[in-house]
Amino acid sequence: MFRRHGVPWLLTWVVVLICQAGCCLLDSIGAAGSFSHVHPFSNKSNLDQGYCERKRKTNNFSVWSLSSESLIATLPVDAIPENSIRKVRDCIFSVAYPTPFISRVVLVAVSQDVLEGILDLDVSVKETDDFLQLVSGGKVVLGSIPLAHRYGGHQFGSWAGQLGDGRAHLIGVYTNRYGERWELQLKGSGKTPYSRNGDGRAVLRSSVREFLCSEAMHYLGIPTSRAASLVVSDDDVWRDQFYNGSVKKERGAIVLRVAKSWFRIGSLEILAHSGELDLQRTLLDFVIQEHFPSVNMDDSNRYLDFFSRVVLEIANLIALWMSVGFAHGVCNTDNFSLLSITIDYGPFGFMESYDPNFVPNTSDDERRYKIGNQANVGMFNLNKLLQALKPVLDRRQKQLAFQILEGYSEHYYTRFTELFRAKLGLLGESEDDNYLIAFLLKLMEDTKADFTMAFRQLSEITQHQLKELRIPQEFWALQDLAKHKFFSDWVTIYLLRLGRNMGDSDSTRRKRMTAVNPRYILRNWMAESAIQKAKMNDFSEVHLLQEVLQHPFQRQAAAEKAGYSLRPPSWAKDLKVSCSS
């Protein structure tokens, strides 16, 4: 038996080398602070011929492995091995082991798609104790040194200094049967050197929301991190949910999240602010080589090319958010992925009644991150990325980078218009399309019509019904919209525009529109209802929502029975989104 806190630093690196030959699951620190061997692992090279063909789904951990080697072989690790809260320098990661829960742990939910489609694990693995221990931080894989990432960020417009993974542990990188590399991260798994004043835990309430929303966003077609599993414990975690002085006891929970990378704008900002320019170049080259294959590593303009791609993809991401009425809630630079995927689900919210001033975060007193300001925040964050890149750009490249940034608005509005044209079933382009879209959104704002269902019901109603202004009772969002005195004017313009869809039929239009306008989204009241049941160990609604949100564009009997496409219940109007997680 080894005592984790007594393992010499050199031995940690020896372990990495040993694991090239074989790996095993290890019990993490228990009450006695020791760990034991469980299974030997096969860890054959991903470059072996026939690798993709040989790997198959399994529920046997003896043929499944993780490794941190691809990260720590290139990116430096904190020279101080102790897991103490401190200012960290000259590294990208700190070694930090998850802290297991003391009490009973229950598996709440898993994503079969993530387990089988990404991690090559048969869904039956969820029945094993090894799986439960792995996803709750109770076991780690030998050879996969758990890491906490060092980063900084601008929070609500101001530089916040060092932030980092304060309650998350990157437990390894998995290369699947398709040759894809996925980084596995536990959220809520204990303290790290970056925990600041936090306890390193997450609670059931916020973890249910993150698990459901990250999966919901994926099925909506929005680039996002994924959630593999959700566990809850009986450990007590104390939270002031709305920062109003009311501290309450909640249950600790952990989400196993996966993404191609967890690097974010703040990953580069901290290095620029600290003057660690050689390390910044190392990280930039690593990110480009691993995740931007179209960028030529031998080109002296590679950082400029990288920046150009990030600008384009951030514009695309935020336009996609807007197309489904999603407000992230905390668009700080430390929450903006360099890969332009949605990460770090905090006090997010899907807009119900259309309101450009919608703010899902009750602590955002200045409404900085209201949904109508997300595009501007994207520009702000990209400007901070440019500031971080300036030390590695020459004078000419800086000028070109500024020009690239100036093109962000055009990228955003072009993509926004494309998406909303599709939502309205419009084919081709017309110079009046922007007016048609803006007109509709203004009608929605004035009537407080439901954003999601207004578009969905436009997808389901026939052109004849619209022309006659005969709106059936089931189209309640359109009935709200029809109360506006200019609704009939908008309908006239809309039908004329649809008439210019060459070779189109009404049935084809409706089919096309229902494929892009979701019927079901993760509304706050739905999540809250599931959370309240989960607090009582009833996870049935979590499972129901998970199933429904996997098919957001298809009418589902279970969802209809639960009222997920009906007008939100009256109590939902006063529902506040959780802040503290």
Side-chain angles (χ1 to χ4, degrees):
M1 304 288 283
F2 294 91
R3 303 189 70 82
R4 176 164 294 152
H5 294 302
V7 177
W9 183 240
L10 179 60
L11 181 56
T12 300
W13 295 101
V14 172
V15 165
V16 176
L17 298 176
I18 292 173
C19 291
Q20 295 178 20
C23 301
C24 66
L25 271 178
L26 298 181
D27 286 326
S28 70
I29 304 172
S34 61
F35 57 80
S36 60
H37 294 266
V38 180
H39 293 299
F41 271 60
S42 170
N43 192 24
K44 295 181 181 179
S45 169
N46 297 340
L47 301 178
D48 286 351
Q49 294 296 317
Y51 167 76
C52 294
E53 288 74 18
R54 284 205 305 273
K55 271 197 162 184
R56 294 292 184 268
K57 288 181 294 185
T58 182
N59 62 2
N60 183 359
F61 276 109
S62 67
V63 293
W64 191 86
S65 63
L66 292 175
S67 174
S68 303
E69 183 182 359
S70 61
L71 295 174
I72 61 180
T74 304
L75 304 175
V77 175
D78 186 3
I80 301 175
E82 288 79 16
N83 187 15
S84 58
I85 299 170
R86 62 188 184 277
K87 184 83 169 181
V88 180
R89 281 190 57 89
D90 303 317
C91 67
I92 303 298
F93 298 107
S94 294
V95 172
Y97 283 82
T99 302
F101 287 122
I102 298 173
S103 63
R104 177 186 64 128
V105 178
V106 175
L107 181 65
V108 175
V110 300
S111 168
Q112 182 173 350
D113 184 54
V114 173
L115 292 185
E116 298 190 341
I118 294 177
L119 301 181
D120 300 325
L121 290 170
D122 190 275
V123 70
S124 62
V125 76
K126 69 180 183 179
E127 308 296 336
T128 68
D129 183 65
D130 280 344
F131 179 77
L132 182 62
Q133 292 297 316
L134 180 69
V135 301
S136 64
K139 293 178 179 178
V140 296
V141 175
L142 181 61
S144 180
I145 308 300
L147 304 169
H149 175 39
R150 171 191 174 216
Y151 55 82
H154 279 80
Q155 297 191 327
F156 293 91
S158 300
W159 175 244
Q162 177 179 291
L163 298 168
D165 289 334
R167 55 179 172 177
H169 295 79
L170 197 163
I171 60 171
V173 180
Y174 180 73
T175 304
N176 67 16
R177 63 189 184 275
Y178 307 113
E180 301 169 338
R181 292 177 61 259
W182 291 87
E183 297 180 6
L184 279 65
Q185 186 187 77
L186 297 177
K187 182 176 180 179
S189 44
K191 288 187 176 182
T192 76
Y194 310 100
S195 294
R196 293 175 287 167
N197 297 320
D199 58 13
R201 291 301 188 193
V203 297
L204 176 63
R205 163 178 45 83
S206 62
S207 299
V208 166
R209 286 171 57 83
E210 171 141 6
F211 177 85
L212 289 175
C213 194
S214 56
E215 289 303 281
M217 292 285 274
H218 169 72
Y219 289 103
L220 286 170
I222 315 293
T224 180
S225 58
R226 302 291 303 276
S229 65
L230 166 64
V231 299
V232 63
S233 75
D234 290 329
D235 283 21
D236 293 338
V237 178
W238 296 88
R239 286 292 183 271
D240 183 354
Q241 183 175 345
F242 297 109
Y243 301 118
N244 59 6
S246 179
V247 180
K248 296 181 179 180
K249 182 172 66 175
E250 301 190 51
R251 298 168 69 189
I254 291 176
V255 175
L256 174 60
R257 332 190 278 184
V258 302
K260 293 291 184 67
S261 172
W262 294 100
F263 291 125
R264 62 232 23 231
I265 292 176
S267 304
L268 296 172
E269 283 188 291
I270 190 69
L271 302 176
H273 275 262
S274 301
E276 300 168 55
L277 302 187
D278 288 341
L279 186 50
Q280 185 185 33
R281 289 187 181 90
T282 298
L283 179 56
L284 271 167
D285 287 343
F286 178 87
V287 170
I288 292 170
Q289 188 163 6
E290 291 291 329
H291 304 292
F292 292 81
S294 63
V295 176
N296 184 355
M297 288 298 298
D298 296 325
D299 191 338
S300 61
N301 290 318
R302 63 186 181 278
Y303 300 149
L304 193 65
D305 199 3
F306 158 77
F307 180 65
S308 176
R309 282 158 172 72
V310 175
V311 168
L312 183 63
E313 290 306 319
I314 288 293
N316 175 62
L317 177 66
I318 298 179
L320 285 167
W321 286 356
M322 298 298 289
S323 74
V324 295
F326 175 79
H328 185 281
V330 193
C331 295
N332 299 324
T333 57
D334 56 293
N335 292 333
F336 259 53
S337 161
L338 289 176
L339 272 59
S340 304
I341 63 173
T342 314
I343 59 172
D344 291 350
Y345 291 88
F348 66 84
F350 283 89
M351 177 173 58
E352 298 204 16
S353 296
Y354 179 77
D355 178 6
N357 294 311
F358 170 62
V359 178
N361 185 354
T362 57
S363 65
D364 187 1
D365 298 327
E366 297 180 357
R367 309 178 78 85
R368 176 181 178 83
Y369 296 140
K370 63 184 180 182
I371 192 169
N373 199 41
Q374 288 188 134
N376 292 330
V377 170
M379 170 70 94
F380 176 90
N381 290 349
L382 287 168
N383 182 56
K384 295 306 176 185
L385 174 59
L386 175 55
Q387 298 305 312
L389 291 176
K390 278 185 175 181
V392 298
L393 302 176
D394 61 30
R395 183 175 179 179
R396 181 189 63 85
Q397 290 170 336
K398 291 174 185 176
Q399 293 174 340
L400 291 173
F402 183 73
Q403 293 174 13
I404 290 170
L405 183 59
E406 284 188 318
Y408 164 81
S409 296
E410 183 178 352
H411 289 315
Y412 171 76
Y413 286 112
T414 297
R415 186 64 175 128
F416 179 94
T417 303
E418 288 175 350
L419 291 167
F420 276 79
R421 275 199 191 101
K423 289 176 73 66
L424 287 173
L426 309 181
L427 298 178
E429 299 180 12
S430 170
E431 60 182 14
D432 297 328
D433 288 348
N434 283 328
Y435 174 76
L436 182 65
I437 295 166
F439 193 171
L440 176 60
L441 294 179
K442 179 58 177 172
L443 297 184
M444 286 187 182
E445 183 177 1
D446 290 348
T447 59
K448 301 187 184 304
D450 188 275
F451 176 80
T452 299
M453 292 309 295
F455 276 105
R456 178 67 186 201
Q457 290 167 10
L458 279 173
S459 309
E460 297 175 343
I461 198 169
T462 67
Q463 289 188 47
H464 179 71
Q465 288 172 317
L466 269 181
K467 183 178 180 180
E468 299 297 321
L469 295 180
R470 289 190 293 103
I471 301 177
Q473 189 70 29
E474 65 177 294
F475 296 147
W476 53 270
L478 288 184
Q479 287 188 335
D480 289 344
L481 201 58
K483 295 175 183 176
H484 201 288
K485 61 181 179 180
F486 294 127
F487 178 70
S488 61
D489 295 334
W490 180 84
V491 168
T492 298
I493 298 171
Y494 179 52
L495 292 176
L496 285 172
R497 175 63 177 86
L498 289 178
R500 297 201 296 271
N501 285 348
M502 299 300 295
D504 199 25
S505 68
D506 193 41
S507 61
T508 301
R509 171 198 64 90
R510 282 183 284 151
K511 183 178 181 180
R512 188 170 62 249
M513 289 176 65
T514 55
V516 297
N517 288 308
R519 189 171 178 86
Y520 313 110
I521 56 170
L522 182 60
R523 298 175 184 266
N524 284 327
W525 71 267
M526 297 177 186
E528 185 63 22
S529 178
I531 289 165
Q532 292 306 318
K533 289 183 178 179
K535 288 180 178 179
M536 305 302 293
N537 290 319
D538 177 359
F539 307 120
S540 60
E541 196 159 353
V542 173
H543 299 153
L544 173 61
L545 271 173
Q546 182 185 4
E547 175 63 26
V548 168
L549 295 170
Q550 288 175 351
H551 309 281
F553 303 101
Q554 301 173 15
R555 185 186 291 260
Q556 301 171 54
E560 297 301 302
K561 183 178 180 181
Y564 289 165
S565 66
L566 300 180
R567 193 182 298 275
S570 57
W571 60 266
K573 296 179 181 179
D574 299 321
L575 181 63
K576 293 182 179 180
V577 179
S578 305
C579 296
S580 174
S581 57

